[in-house]
Amino acid sequence: LNWTGVDMEDAKKIKDYKVIPGGTITQRKGSLVTVEGIILSFEPDIISLDDSKEARAKMICGHAISTESMTALIRSIISEGRYQIICPGLKTDGTACEIEWSYPACRKIGVLTRDEEKEFETKLSMNFVNRDPHMGECSKCHVAIWNEDLNMIRVQCVNCRKKKQAVDFCWRFLREWKGVLSEDCGNPECTGIGYKIRSLK
């Protein structure tokens, strides 16, 4: 934690720093040198190509990446609607590396703040749900649900059913079922094409 340019020590209390009411305390990223369980490297950063003598993390594929580049990479992946963190580097033969990095390792290397952890994990989870055609969100309680049979387009949420509040909704459109036929949900905006398929085109 940092207050007006001063790093706040764990052993002290906030009042020891004479924090002004309404003032902002920021959380700074730490150094990779203090992070346990990673291999340090002084190879150029795989994204920024920075070749300064800053300590970077050596990934399982051998590429090196800094704290800042890792954070930026995760943010970029989220903004593109993806949930897998793939190495953006190249192999020695010039082909894409494409090795997947685990999120726990990336979180550690990015030295994420609490706010970043909450933001990234929520958005990565939502990207996963939106990408998997078998996963959807209940239109009523907004809980993620699983649909094994994609031919079954008129479904109910298990969570709502337990609360005796279940309503039928369209799996393709993720809105309440308004029609009387088994193949037409009655929503004029529903094109009959799954929303996930449309979003991936």
Short mmCIF file of all heavy atoms in Angstrom, two decimals, residues 8 11 13 20 22-23 30 66 114 131:
data_model
loop_
_atom_site.label_atom_id
_atom_site.label_comp_id
_atom_site.label_asym_id
_atom_site.label_seq_id
_atom_site.Cartn_x
_atom_site.Cartn_y
_atom_site.Cartn_z
N MET A 8 3.53 1.98 2.78
CA MET A 8 3.01 1.78 4.13
C MET A 8 3.45 0.41 4.66
O MET A 8 3.26 -0.61 3.99
CB MET A 8 1.49 1.91 4.13
CG MET A 8 1.01 3.24 3.57
SD MET A 8 -0.79 3.36 3.38
CE MET A 8 -1.29 3.52 5.09
N ALA A 11 3.48 -3.34 9.76
CA ALA A 11 3.48 -3.26 11.22
C ALA A 11 2.83 -1.98 11.75
O ALA A 11 2.50 -1.88 12.94
CB ALA A 11 4.91 -3.35 11.74
N LYS A 13 -0.11 1.27 11.64
CA LYS A 13 -1.53 1.49 11.41
C LYS A 13 -1.72 2.68 10.48
O LYS A 13 -0.84 3.53 10.36
CB LYS A 13 -2.26 1.72 12.73
CG LYS A 13 -2.18 0.53 13.68
CD LYS A 13 -2.92 0.81 14.97
CE LYS A 13 -2.85 -0.39 15.91
NZ LYS A 13 -3.57 -0.12 17.20
N ILE A 20 -5.39 11.72 5.28
CA ILE A 20 -6.44 12.73 5.26
C ILE A 20 -7.76 12.07 4.85
O ILE A 20 -7.80 11.28 3.91
CB ILE A 20 -6.10 13.85 4.24
CG1 ILE A 20 -4.78 14.52 4.63
CG2 ILE A 20 -7.21 14.88 4.17
CD1 ILE A 20 -4.27 15.50 3.59
N GLY A 22 -10.86 11.09 3.00
CA GLY A 22 -11.15 11.24 1.59
C GLY A 22 -9.94 11.04 0.70
O GLY A 22 -10.05 11.04 -0.52
N GLY A 23 -8.76 10.85 1.32
CA GLY A 23 -7.54 10.63 0.55
C GLY A 23 -7.52 9.24 -0.05
O GLY A 23 -8.27 8.35 0.35
N GLY A 30 4.46 -5.37 -6.44
CA GLY A 30 5.76 -5.69 -5.88
C GLY A 30 6.73 -6.14 -6.96
O GLY A 30 6.40 -6.18 -8.15
N SER A 66 7.65 -9.62 -18.10
CA SER A 66 7.70 -8.78 -16.91
C SER A 66 6.32 -8.71 -16.25
O SER A 66 5.31 -9.11 -16.82
CB SER A 66 8.15 -7.37 -17.27
OG SER A 66 7.15 -6.72 -18.06
N ARG A 114 -5.45 -6.58 -5.46
CA ARG A 114 -6.72 -7.22 -5.13
C ARG A 114 -7.81 -6.83 -6.13
O ARG A 114 -8.62 -7.65 -6.53
CB ARG A 114 -7.14 -6.85 -3.71
CG ARG A 114 -6.23 -7.42 -2.62
CD ARG A 114 -6.80 -7.14 -1.23
NE ARG A 114 -5.92 -7.63 -0.19
CZ ARG A 114 -4.98 -6.91 0.38
NH1 ARG A 114 -4.78 -5.65 -0.01
NH2 ARG A 114 -4.22 -7.41 1.34
N ARG A 131 -18.16 -18.41 -24.18
CA ARG A 131 -17.54 -19.15 -25.30
C ARG A 131 -18.04 -20.58 -25.40
O ARG A 131 -18.04 -21.17 -26.48
CB ARG A 131 -16.02 -19.16 -25.11
CG ARG A 131 -15.36 -17.83 -25.43
CD ARG A 131 -15.00 -17.76 -26.88
NE ARG A 131 -14.55 -16.44 -27.29
CZ ARG A 131 -13.95 -16.18 -28.43
NH1 ARG A 131 -13.73 -17.16 -29.27
NH2 ARG A 131 -13.59 -14.96 -28.75
#
